[in-house]
Amino acid sequence: MAYTTINKSKDYFETKLYVANATQRDITGFNFNPDWVWLHNRIQSVNSMLFDKVRGATKQIHTNTSGAENTDTQSLNAFISNGFSLGTGWGNSASGNNYVSWNWSAGNSSGSSNTDGSITSTVSVNATSKMSIVKYTGNGSDQTVGHGLGVVPSMIIVKCLTTAHDWVVYHQGLGNDKAIAFNNYNAEYSATAWQSYTPTNQVFYIKGGANSVSQSGDFVAYCFADVSGYQKCGTYTGNGNADGTFIYTGFKPAMMFFKKTTGSAANWQMWDNKRDPDNPVENAYHIDSNDADGSPDQDIDFLSNGFKIKSSQHHLNNSGTKFIYYAVAEAPLVGTNNVPCTAR
Protein backbone atom coordinates (compact mmCIF):
# COMPACT_ATOMS: atom_id res chain seq x y z
CA MET A 1 0.00 0.00 0.00
CA ALA A 2 1.45 3.39 -1.06
CA TYR A 3 1.21 5.42 2.14
CA THR A 4 2.85 8.83 1.95
CA THR A 5 3.72 11.76 4.16
CA ILE A 6 2.27 14.06 1.46
CA ASN A 7 -1.50 14.00 1.85
CA LYS A 8 -2.13 17.10 -0.27
CA SER A 9 -0.18 17.06 -3.51
CA LYS A 10 -1.41 20.56 -4.42
CA ASP A 11 0.89 21.91 -1.71
CA TYR A 12 3.83 21.01 -3.97
CA PHE A 13 2.60 20.73 -7.57
CA GLU A 14 -0.35 22.07 -9.53
CA THR A 15 -1.44 22.46 -13.13
CA LYS A 16 -3.29 25.70 -13.79
CA LEU A 17 -5.22 26.87 -16.86
CA TYR A 18 -5.68 30.51 -17.86
CA VAL A 19 -6.73 32.64 -20.82
CA ALA A 20 -4.32 35.31 -22.11
CA ASN A 21 -5.50 38.93 -21.99
CA ALA A 22 -2.41 40.84 -23.24
CA THR A 23 -2.24 43.01 -20.10
CA GLN A 24 0.03 42.86 -17.05
CA ARG A 25 -1.61 40.33 -14.74
CA ASP A 26 -1.02 37.88 -11.89
CA ILE A 27 -1.69 34.13 -11.96
CA THR A 28 -2.39 33.19 -8.34
CA GLY A 29 -4.35 30.80 -6.16
CA PHE A 30 -1.62 28.21 -5.53
CA ASN A 31 -1.12 26.56 -2.14
CA PHE A 32 2.60 27.26 -2.50
CA ASN A 33 4.96 29.76 -4.07
CA PRO A 34 5.88 28.36 -7.51
CA ASP A 35 9.62 28.00 -8.09
CA TRP A 36 9.58 26.23 -11.46
CA VAL A 37 6.95 27.34 -13.99
CA TRP A 38 6.42 25.75 -17.42
CA LEU A 39 4.06 27.62 -19.80
CA HIS A 40 2.44 26.26 -22.96
CA ASN A 41 0.09 27.87 -25.51
CA ARG A 42 -2.63 25.29 -26.16
CA ILE A 43 -3.90 26.94 -29.36
CA GLN A 44 -0.92 28.14 -31.39
CA SER A 45 2.25 26.40 -32.53
CA VAL A 46 4.78 28.40 -30.52
CA ASN A 47 7.64 27.48 -28.21
CA SER A 48 6.83 26.61 -24.62
CA MET A 49 8.69 28.55 -21.93
CA LEU A 50 10.35 27.44 -18.69
CA PHE A 51 11.16 29.83 -15.85
CA ASP A 52 12.59 29.21 -12.40
CA LYS A 53 13.39 31.21 -9.31
CA VAL A 54 17.10 30.30 -9.24
CA ARG A 55 17.80 31.72 -12.71
CA GLY A 56 15.34 34.54 -12.01
CA ALA A 57 12.13 35.87 -13.55
CA THR A 58 12.25 36.92 -17.24
CA LYS A 59 14.90 34.23 -17.98
CA GLN A 60 13.37 31.69 -20.34
CA ILE A 61 14.40 28.43 -21.98
CA HIS A 62 12.47 26.21 -24.39
CA THR A 63 12.04 22.44 -24.15
CA ASN A 64 11.71 22.03 -27.92
CA THR A 65 14.94 23.76 -28.94
CA SER A 66 18.62 23.60 -28.11
CA GLY A 67 18.77 27.39 -27.83
CA ALA A 68 20.50 29.26 -25.03
CA GLU A 69 18.66 31.13 -22.28
CA ASN A 70 17.19 34.47 -23.28
CA THR A 71 15.52 37.36 -21.47
CA ASP A 72 12.02 38.77 -22.02
CA THR A 73 10.91 41.36 -19.47
CA GLN A 74 7.31 41.09 -20.68
CA SER A 75 6.98 37.32 -20.22
CA LEU A 76 6.97 35.88 -16.69
CA ASN A 77 8.40 38.96 -15.01
CA ALA A 78 7.98 38.21 -11.29
CA PHE A 79 7.57 35.34 -8.85
CA ILE A 80 5.02 36.48 -6.26
CA SER A 81 3.29 35.04 -3.20
CA ASN A 82 1.18 32.04 -4.27
CA GLY A 83 1.75 32.71 -7.96
CA PHE A 84 3.60 34.58 -10.68
CA SER A 85 3.18 37.72 -12.79
CA LEU A 86 2.96 37.95 -16.57
CA GLY A 87 3.62 40.98 -18.75
CA THR A 88 2.24 41.62 -22.21
CA GLY A 89 4.79 39.40 -23.96
CA TRP A 90 5.02 35.66 -24.50
CA GLY A 91 2.74 33.69 -22.19
CA ASN A 92 0.07 36.39 -22.24
CA SER A 93 0.33 38.26 -25.56
CA ALA A 94 -2.13 36.22 -27.64
CA SER A 95 -5.34 37.59 -26.14
CA GLY A 96 -8.06 34.95 -25.90
CA ASN A 97 -5.66 32.02 -26.31
CA ASN A 98 -5.83 29.17 -23.80
CA TYR A 99 -2.65 28.47 -21.83
CA VAL A 100 -1.56 25.84 -19.35
CA SER A 101 1.09 26.22 -16.66
CA TRP A 102 2.74 23.35 -14.78
CA ASN A 103 4.12 24.52 -11.46
CA TRP A 104 6.41 23.00 -8.82
CA SER A 105 7.58 24.00 -5.37
CA ALA A 106 11.34 23.80 -4.90
CA GLY A 107 11.88 25.48 -1.55
CA ASN A 108 10.68 29.04 -2.27
CA SER A 109 14.20 30.34 -2.70
CA SER A 110 16.53 31.88 -5.25
CA GLY A 111 19.01 29.31 -4.05
CA SER A 112 21.93 28.97 -1.69
CA SER A 113 25.51 27.83 -2.11
CA ASN A 114 26.07 24.06 -2.13
CA THR A 115 29.63 22.76 -1.78
CA ASP A 116 28.89 19.01 -1.76
CA GLY A 117 30.38 18.66 -5.24
CA SER A 118 33.78 19.46 -6.67
CA ILE A 119 32.30 22.65 -8.12
CA THR A 120 29.99 24.92 -6.14
CA SER A 121 26.35 24.94 -7.20
CA THR A 122 23.40 27.16 -6.30
CA VAL A 123 20.49 25.04 -5.09
CA SER A 124 16.87 25.57 -4.14
CA VAL A 125 15.24 22.38 -2.85
CA ASN A 126 11.98 21.16 -1.41
CA ALA A 127 13.12 18.49 1.04
CA THR A 128 9.62 17.03 1.36
CA SER A 129 8.62 16.67 -2.30
CA LYS A 130 12.21 15.93 -3.39
CA MET A 131 12.55 18.42 -6.21
CA SER A 132 15.52 20.75 -6.60
CA ILE A 133 16.66 23.44 -9.00
CA VAL A 134 20.43 23.50 -9.44
CA LYS A 135 22.54 26.08 -11.26
CA TYR A 136 26.23 25.50 -11.84
CA THR A 137 29.09 26.63 -14.07
CA GLY A 138 30.95 23.95 -15.99
CA ASN A 139 34.69 24.23 -16.56
CA GLY A 140 35.21 21.60 -19.26
CA SER A 141 36.50 18.86 -16.95
CA ASP A 142 35.01 15.90 -15.07
CA GLN A 143 33.21 17.22 -11.99
CA THR A 144 30.56 16.47 -9.39
CA VAL A 145 27.62 18.78 -8.63
CA GLY A 146 25.65 19.00 -5.38
CA HIS A 147 21.89 18.61 -5.90
CA GLY A 148 20.55 19.13 -2.37
CA LEU A 149 17.91 16.37 -2.37
CA GLY A 150 19.46 14.34 0.43
CA VAL A 151 18.50 11.16 -1.45
CA VAL A 152 19.56 9.66 -4.78
CA PRO A 153 17.89 11.45 -7.73
CA SER A 154 15.67 9.39 -10.01
CA MET A 155 15.75 11.91 -12.86
CA ILE A 156 17.91 14.92 -13.74
CA ILE A 157 17.07 17.27 -16.63
CA VAL A 158 20.04 19.44 -17.65
CA LYS A 159 20.23 22.44 -20.02
CA CYS A 160 23.18 24.59 -21.02
CA LEU A 161 22.18 28.25 -20.60
CA THR A 162 25.15 29.97 -22.22
CA THR A 163 25.21 28.40 -25.68
CA ALA A 164 22.96 26.29 -27.89
CA HIS A 165 23.19 22.61 -26.92
CA ASP A 166 20.68 19.80 -26.55
CA TRP A 167 18.95 19.15 -23.28
CA VAL A 168 20.38 16.05 -21.57
CA VAL A 169 18.24 13.79 -19.36
CA TYR A 170 19.39 11.26 -16.79
CA HIS A 171 16.70 8.76 -15.79
CA GLN A 172 17.17 5.81 -13.46
CA GLY A 173 15.38 3.64 -16.01
CA LEU A 174 18.16 4.29 -18.54
CA GLY A 175 21.08 3.77 -16.20
CA ASN A 176 24.30 5.71 -15.79
CA ASP A 177 25.75 4.96 -19.24
CA LYS A 178 22.89 6.39 -21.31
CA ALA A 179 21.10 9.68 -21.77
CA ILE A 180 18.22 11.02 -23.83
CA ALA A 181 17.51 14.47 -25.24
CA PHE A 182 14.48 16.49 -24.11
CA ASN A 183 14.30 18.74 -27.17
CA ASN A 184 13.97 16.09 -29.89
CA TYR A 185 12.27 12.75 -30.42
CA ASN A 186 15.41 10.65 -30.87
CA ALA A 187 15.95 7.44 -28.91
CA GLU A 188 18.29 7.00 -25.97
CA TYR A 189 22.00 7.06 -26.72
CA SER A 190 25.11 5.67 -25.09
CA ALA A 191 26.76 8.50 -23.21
CA THR A 192 29.54 9.29 -20.81
CA ALA A 193 27.66 12.42 -19.71
CA TRP A 194 27.42 11.05 -16.16
CA GLN A 195 30.95 9.54 -16.15
CA SER A 196 29.11 6.17 -15.98
CA TYR A 197 28.44 6.82 -12.28
CA THR A 198 25.03 6.72 -10.63
CA PRO A 199 24.17 9.88 -8.64
CA THR A 200 24.58 9.72 -4.87
CA ASN A 201 22.44 11.28 -2.16
CA GLN A 202 24.65 14.39 -2.42
CA VAL A 203 25.98 14.78 -5.98
CA PHE A 204 25.59 13.87 -9.62
CA TYR A 205 28.52 13.31 -11.96
CA ILE A 206 29.21 15.31 -15.12
CA LYS A 207 31.68 14.55 -17.90
CA GLY A 208 33.98 17.23 -19.28
CA GLY A 209 34.61 18.13 -22.91
CA ALA A 210 32.87 20.03 -25.68
CA ASN A 211 29.10 19.54 -26.15
CA SER A 212 28.83 18.07 -22.67
CA VAL A 213 27.09 18.80 -19.37
CA SER A 214 30.40 20.13 -18.04
CA GLN A 215 31.65 22.30 -20.89
CA SER A 216 32.56 25.88 -20.03
CA GLY A 217 29.33 27.77 -19.36
CA ASP A 218 26.29 28.00 -17.10
CA PHE A 219 23.82 25.15 -16.67
CA VAL A 220 20.52 24.50 -14.93
CA ALA A 221 19.50 21.06 -13.68
CA TYR A 222 16.03 20.05 -12.48
CA CYS A 223 16.36 17.10 -10.10
CA PHE A 224 13.68 14.70 -8.86
CA ALA A 225 13.62 11.72 -6.52
CA ASP A 226 10.84 9.19 -6.00
CA VAL A 227 8.47 9.93 -3.10
CA SER A 228 6.10 7.10 -2.19
CA GLY A 229 2.54 8.05 -3.05
CA TYR A 230 3.50 11.41 -4.58
CA GLN A 231 6.16 11.24 -7.33
CA LYS A 232 7.65 8.46 -9.41
CA CYS A 233 10.19 8.12 -12.22
CA GLY A 234 9.65 4.66 -13.65
CA THR A 235 9.56 2.45 -16.72
CA TYR A 236 7.09 0.21 -18.49
CA THR A 237 7.12 -2.09 -21.52
CA GLY A 238 4.61 -1.62 -24.32
CA ASN A 239 2.40 -4.48 -25.49
CA GLY A 240 1.24 -3.03 -28.84
CA ASN A 241 -2.41 -3.56 -27.90
CA ALA A 242 -5.20 -0.97 -27.76
CA ASP A 243 -5.99 -2.47 -24.35
CA GLY A 244 -2.54 -1.52 -23.19
CA THR A 245 -0.32 -1.94 -20.18
CA PHE A 246 -1.37 -0.90 -16.66
CA ILE A 247 1.40 0.86 -14.73
CA TYR A 248 1.21 1.03 -10.93
CA THR A 249 2.43 4.28 -9.37
CA GLY A 250 0.74 4.21 -5.95
CA PHE A 251 -1.24 7.39 -6.67
CA LYS A 252 -3.71 9.00 -9.04
CA PRO A 253 -1.62 11.07 -11.47
CA ALA A 254 -2.11 14.82 -11.77
CA MET A 255 0.43 15.11 -14.57
CA MET A 256 2.86 12.83 -16.31
CA PHE A 257 5.18 12.67 -19.26
CA PHE A 258 6.98 9.79 -20.90
CA LYS A 259 9.23 8.80 -23.77
CA LYS A 260 9.86 5.76 -25.92
CA THR A 261 13.54 4.93 -25.44
CA THR A 262 14.54 2.71 -28.38
CA GLY A 263 13.62 2.03 -32.01
CA SER A 264 11.92 4.52 -34.32
CA ALA A 265 11.65 8.17 -33.30
CA ALA A 266 8.78 9.16 -31.00
CA ASN A 267 7.79 12.38 -29.26
CA TRP A 268 7.92 13.05 -25.55
CA GLN A 269 4.25 13.05 -24.46
CA MET A 270 2.71 15.00 -21.57
CA TRP A 271 -0.79 14.74 -20.06
CA ASP A 272 -2.51 16.32 -17.05
CA ASN A 273 -5.81 16.28 -15.15
CA LYS A 274 -6.77 19.90 -15.88
CA ARG A 275 -6.76 19.85 -19.67
CA ASP A 276 -8.43 16.42 -19.44
CA PRO A 277 -10.47 16.17 -16.23
CA ASP A 278 -12.08 12.90 -17.36
CA ASN A 279 -10.86 9.67 -18.92
CA PRO A 280 -9.66 9.07 -21.52
CA VAL A 281 -6.83 11.57 -21.11
CA GLU A 282 -6.05 12.47 -24.71
CA ASN A 283 -4.70 16.03 -25.01
CA ALA A 284 -1.08 15.01 -25.35
CA TYR A 285 1.41 17.87 -25.46
CA HIS A 286 4.68 17.11 -27.26
CA ILE A 287 7.51 18.43 -25.11
CA ASP A 288 9.98 18.30 -28.00
CA SER A 289 7.88 20.30 -30.48
CA ASN A 290 6.00 23.60 -30.68
CA ASP A 291 2.71 21.86 -31.46
CA ALA A 292 -0.57 22.98 -29.93
CA ASP A 293 -2.59 20.47 -27.87
CA GLY A 294 -4.07 17.33 -29.25
CA SER A 295 -3.19 13.74 -30.13
CA PRO A 296 -6.62 12.09 -29.82
CA ASP A 297 -5.38 8.66 -30.92
CA GLN A 298 -2.89 8.48 -28.05
CA ASP A 299 -5.10 7.94 -25.01
CA ILE A 300 -4.38 6.92 -21.45
CA ASP A 301 -6.57 6.57 -18.35
CA PHE A 302 -5.62 8.11 -15.00
CA LEU A 303 -6.58 5.64 -12.25
CA SER A 304 -6.53 5.77 -8.45
CA ASN A 305 -3.28 3.80 -8.27
CA GLY A 306 -1.58 4.47 -11.60
CA PHE A 307 -2.34 4.78 -15.30
CA LYS A 308 -3.34 2.52 -18.18
CA ILE A 309 -2.38 2.85 -21.84
CA LYS A 310 -5.44 2.88 -24.12
CA SER A 311 -3.79 3.00 -27.53
CA SER A 312 -1.65 0.79 -29.75
CA GLN A 313 0.27 3.80 -31.14
CA HIS A 314 4.02 3.21 -31.12
CA HIS A 315 4.68 6.57 -29.40
CA LEU A 316 3.30 5.17 -26.16
CA ASN A 317 2.77 1.43 -26.57
CA ASN A 318 5.18 -0.10 -29.06
CA SER A 319 5.30 -3.83 -28.37
CA GLY A 320 8.35 -4.93 -26.39
CA THR A 321 9.78 -1.41 -26.15
CA LYS A 322 10.84 0.23 -22.89
CA PHE A 323 9.36 3.61 -22.00
CA ILE A 324 10.51 5.96 -19.25
CA TYR A 325 8.08 8.20 -17.40
CA TYR A 326 7.74 10.88 -14.74
CA ALA A 327 4.46 11.12 -12.81
CA VAL A 328 3.30 13.40 -10.00
CA ALA A 329 0.19 12.83 -7.91
CA GLU A 330 -3.24 14.37 -7.75
CA ALA A 331 -3.79 12.24 -4.67
CA PRO A 332 -1.98 9.30 -3.02
CA LEU A 333 -3.58 5.87 -2.99
CA VAL A 334 -3.69 6.13 0.81
CA GLY A 335 -2.18 9.00 2.80
CA THR A 336 -1.10 9.17 6.42
CA ASN A 337 -4.61 10.41 7.13
CA ASN A 338 -5.73 6.89 6.05
CA VAL A 339 -8.10 8.32 3.43
CA PRO A 340 -8.11 6.22 0.23
CA CYS A 341 -8.01 7.82 -3.20
CA THR A 342 -10.95 7.30 -5.55
CA ALA A 343 -10.70 6.52 -9.25
CA ARG A 344 -12.22 8.70 -11.95
Side-chain angles (χ1 to χ4, degrees):
M1 188 69 72
Y3 288 89
T4 180
T5 56
I6 296 178
N7 292 319
K8 195 172 183 181
S9 299
K10 287 178 67 174
D11 288 345
Y12 304 95
F13 171 85
E14 185 176 1
T15 301
K16 191 170 285 288
L17 307 179
Y18 67 94
V19 179
N21 63 9
T23 62
Q24 178 72 36
R25 48 103 61 95
D26 296 339
I27 306 295
T28 58
F30 296 93
N31 290 352
F32 58 91
N33 296 321
D35 300 298
W36 186 30
V37 177
W38 183 337
L39 304 178
H40 166 60
N41 186 318
R42 302 178 59 197
I43 305 299
Q44 297 188 30
S45 294
V46 294
N47 293 339
S48 296
M49 298 286 187
L50 276 67
F51 303 85
D52 66 70
K53 201 171 287 183
V54 173
R55 292 183 298 119
T58 76
K59 306 292 186 181
Q60 56 189 230
I61 47 179
H62 317 286
T63 59
N64 61 301
T65 79
S66 61
E69 176 186 79
N70 61 80
T71 300
D72 181 356
T73 58
Q74 288 301 314
S75 57
L76 188 154
N77 53 24
F79 290 97
I80 61 175
S81 179
N82 305 118
F84 55 89
S85 296
L86 294 171
T88 58
W90 197 101
N92 194 37
S93 60
S95 185
N97 277 198
N98 294 322
Y99 283 79
V100 57
S101 70
W102 299 285
N103 312 272
W104 286 260
S105 168
N108 189 28
S109 165
S110 59
S112 58
S113 180
N114 181 299
T115 58
D116 290 339
S118 59
I119 54 177
T120 299
S121 55
T122 300
V123 177
S124 182
V125 59
N126 191 306
T128 302
S129 62
K130 301 302 180 187
M131 189 268 168
S132 68
I133 302 168
V134 179
K135 187 177 180 183
Y136 67 92
T137 300
N139 60 14
S141 63
D142 294 0
Q143 300 289 340
T144 57
V145 181
H147 53 68
L149 292 176
V151 296
V152 176
S154 305
M155 181 175 68
I156 306 169
I157 304 170
V158 182
K159 180 68 183 77
C160 181
L161 304 173
T162 310
T163 55
H165 287 290
D166 284 344
W167 293 72
V168 185
V169 179
Y170 166 86
H171 191 287
Q172 62 184 1
L174 298 178
N176 60 27
D177 60 349
K178 291 184 174 63
I180 198 163
F182 215 36
N183 56 289
N184 62 51
Y185 46 66
N186 295 336
E188 68 181 26
Y189 57 92
S190 296
T192 58
W194 322 115
Q195 300 184 48
S196 297
Y197 290 123
T198 300
T200 73
N201 63 349
Q202 290 186 308
V203 302
F204 61 92
Y205 297 82
I206 54 175
K207 184 70 176 175
N211 302 316
S212 74
V213 290
S214 185
Q215 68 179 48
S216 296
D218 293 334
F219 290 80
V220 66
Y222 303 110
C223 305
F224 304 84
D226 288 2
V227 177
S228 179
Y230 169 74
Q231 180 170 266
K232 187 170 179 62
C233 303
T235 66
Y236 70 90
T237 301
N239 65 10
N241 195 309
D243 184 23
T245 305
F246 165 74
I247 299 91
Y248 176 84
T249 60
F251 53 81
K252 180 196 296 185
M255 184 277 284
M256 62 177 304
F257 55 78
F258 50 75
K259 177 72 173 72
K260 180 184 175 186
T261 62
T262 59
S264 59
N267 295 107
W268 286 87
Q269 313 268 347
M270 180 188 277
W271 292 265
D272 64 68
N273 62 352
K274 295 296 179 67
R275 290 177 301 139
D276 275 306
D278 301 305
N279 287 327
V281 182
E282 60 185 6
N283 277 304
Y285 153 57
H286 295 161
I287 291 172
D288 47 35
S289 82
N290 65 356
D291 294 345
D293 276 0
S295 293
D297 60 342
Q298 298 176 23
D299 297 350
I300 62 174
D301 281 351
F302 283 174
L303 305 174
S304 63
N305 58 351
F307 62 96
K308 182 175 174 61
I309 309 300
K310 302 289 286 185
S311 170
S312 60
Q313 290 292 314
H314 80 100
H315 285 72
L316 66 163
N317 197 20
N318 195 63
S319 181
T321 298
K322 181 170 71 175
F323 292 76
I324 56 172
Y325 71 85
Y326 165 81
V328 62
E330 174 185 335
L333 182 56
V334 178
T336 56
N337 55 10
N338 213 34
V339 177
C341 175
T342 56
R344 289 184 163 199

